[in-house]
Amino acid sequence: MDNWAEALEEYKKLSLHSPSGSLTYQAALDLGLHAFQKKDYAEATRMFFNIVDNFPGSPNLPFIYFLIGESYYNSREYKKALPHYLFIIEKGPGGYFSEAALLREGMTLVRLGNYKKAIEELQAHVNRYPNSELLQEATFWLAEARFLSQDYQGA
């Protein structure tokens, strides 16, 4: 048995004995991040949903929802990714994850072929965050959405 499988077994034992304990939270987060880094997005999503379900008051929920969205996005499950980005945009506290979620929403809409809505959201990102480190990426995706929608005047 490798360390990953052993860690998952220990987590399961921990979560049975203390489903809402701080160590259970940290273990789920650590294992979810490890699975995400290994590109095991199904396992990462499972761990992140465990946190959402068992720790609804966590101040890290915007981060967790972002990671769920990223897991689905990286798995090319764009329709599943979108609500998690929207949750952050609508209910998040602002800051980096709200900004990144707005960009990812636009990217996801491009992937889904909803170019008109993608253009609106990506333009909102560019307007709202003109000095952002994500501006170049947002501008690229905005041009991509305009190109794919054949809106050449805006590109």
Side-chain angles (χ1 to χ4, degrees):
M1 192 182 313
D2 66 5
N3 290 340
W4 173 246
E6 288 174 9
L8 282 175
E9 285 305 311
E10 290 300 319
Y11 168 75
K12 288 175 189 173
K13 289 178 195 174
L14 179 62
S15 65
L16 286 174
H17 296 298
S18 178
S20 61
S22 63
L23 293 177
T24 303
Y25 172 86
Q26 190 60 51
L29 181 59
D30 291 347
L31 290 171
L33 290 171
H34 183 73
F36 186 87
Q37 290 170 349
K38 285 178 43 172
K39 299 183 181 185
D40 183 351
Y41 299 119
E43 183 62 31
T45 301
R46 191 176 76 72
M47 287 293 168
F48 298 142
F49 272 121
N50 180 304
I51 293 170
V52 170
D53 293 342
N54 291 308
F55 303 93
S58 169
N60 291 328
L61 282 185
F63 176 57
I64 301 302
Y65 274 100
F66 187 79
L67 290 171
I68 292 170
E70 291 291 274
S71 294
Y72 284 133
Y73 185 91
N74 291 333
S75 299
R76 297 184 177 170
E77 296 182 73
Y78 304 119
K79 286 182 182 178
K80 287 184 177 181
L82 198 55
H84 302 287
Y85 297 135
L86 291 173
F87 176 86
I88 299 165
I89 294 165
E90 293 168 5
K91 298 184 180 169
Y96 177 79
F97 290 109
S98 294
E99 178 185 347
L102 184 58
L103 170 59
R104 294 298 196 272
E105 176 196 13
M107 292 167 56
T108 302
L109 290 166
V110 170
R111 297 286 191 197
L112 290 171
N114 189 344
Y115 305 124
K116 182 178 178 183
K117 182 71 173 164
I119 290 167
E120 289 173 19
E121 298 305 319
L122 291 163
Q123 188 64 59
H125 185 283
V126 169
N127 293 343
R128 193 173 302 158
Y129 304 106
N131 299 315
S132 167
E133 64 185 49
L134 301 175
L135 182 62
Q136 187 174 9
E137 189 174 7
T139 303
F140 167 81
W141 281 98
L142 178 58
E144 184 76 1
R146 286 187 170 140
F147 175 78
L148 292 170
S149 72
Q150 299 180 352
D151 176 6
Y152 302 122
Q153 290 178 337

